[in-house]
Amino acid sequence: MTIDFHYIVQAIISMVVITTPMDPVKVLFFNQAIEDPPRKRTLAAARVALYVVVILGGTALVGQQALDLMGIDLDAFSVVGGLIIALMGLEMLAGGGGSRAQGEDQRKAGPEQGDALLIPLTLPLIAGPGGMATTITIAAGRSGWEGITAALIGVGVVALLAFVSYAVLSEAFTKIRPATMAIVQRIGGLLLATIGTQMLLGGLARFFG
């Protein structure tokens, strides 16, 4: 198997840009998730990194085959994912807080209702439809194991950045005032809505183009 370092670098950049594990809004979500129930920051960060590896790593290995088996078009998958992310962003923009679609109600209900580190932080905010579609595209971009290897390396970099962000940088965000946090979340909502809309339009253009 030949190693195309240029393609690996492209894969890493693409994965980091689409998943943005160091996004301040996602760091805020992480801090909220470890408050109730109280969790150790480093262990919680390691758990998020593990979720990323399992979800996106599994997508790199069997994602395209799974979509083909279910008869799901990759571009249609991107359209639906973009719509979900855009709606989440609009809800955050209007309310200045977490979106119900992102699992905010589930987080407040307590740990027995689900793990907020998994939903909404890892899925869909990090390893969501956009990240899955990007991973599948990278894995399918080269024949044999070359594309899959590049995708897995990109997944590893994303998981590492997520761990560093949440284990080290997230503590600084605990000093942010609630009013400032609401402003940041509204800005994050605007960004999520924009990213989701771009994904939706791009998927539509490819599907009908």
Side-chain angles (χ1 to χ4, degrees):
M1 181 185 69
T2 59
I3 300 177
D4 187 346
F5 290 103
H6 179 66
Y7 188 68
I8 291 175
V9 171
Q10 285 183 329
I12 292 172
I13 293 174
S14 299
M15 292 291 297
V16 171
V17 168
I18 195 65
T19 59
T20 56
M22 303 179 75
D23 179 4
V25 175
K26 294 172 186 176
V27 176
L28 291 176
F29 284 141
F30 174 80
N31 283 336
Q32 291 175 350
I34 64 175
E35 286 176 0
D36 184 17
R39 310 188 192 199
K40 292 184 178 180
R41 192 174 301 274
T42 302
L43 292 178
R47 189 166 184 167
V48 173
L50 178 61
Y51 286 151
V52 170
V53 169
V54 171
I55 294 172
L56 291 184
T59 300
L61 293 172
V62 299
Q64 183 66 67
Q65 293 86 339
L67 291 181
D68 291 341
L69 183 63
M70 293 183 290
I72 297 176
D73 186 88
L74 183 60
D75 296 326
F77 184 78
S78 297
V79 170
V80 174
L83 178 61
I84 292 171
I85 293 175
L87 291 175
M88 286 165 29
L90 290 173
E91 187 175 359
M92 288 176 58
L93 183 61
S99 166
R100 286 174 295 178
Q102 293 165 328
E104 180 66 11
D105 291 344
Q106 185 182 64
R107 182 189 70 81
K108 290 179 179 178
E112 68 279 3
Q113 300 297 323
D115 185 358
L117 294 175
L118 176 60
I119 300 173
L121 182 57
T122 306
L123 184 68
L125 289 182
I126 301 175
M132 292 180 185
T134 302
T135 303
I136 293 173
T137 302
I138 293 170
R142 292 290 189 275
S143 60
W145 281 91
E146 187 177 357
I148 294 175
T149 300
L152 290 175
I153 292 174
V155 170
V157 172
V158 170
L160 178 61
L161 290 177
F163 175 77
V164 172
S165 299
Y166 305 137
V168 179
L169 302 180
S170 63
E171 191 170 1
F173 281 74
T174 60
K175 301 178 177 62
I176 298 179
R177 295 180 178 179
T180 304
M181 188 176 300
I183 294 174
V184 173
Q185 287 180 321
R186 278 193 166 93
I187 294 173
L190 177 61
L191 294 175
L192 281 180
T194 302
I195 292 171
T197 302
Q198 288 178 335
M199 287 178 56
L200 190 156
L201 295 176
L204 284 174
R206 292 190 299 271
F207 185 80
F208 291 106

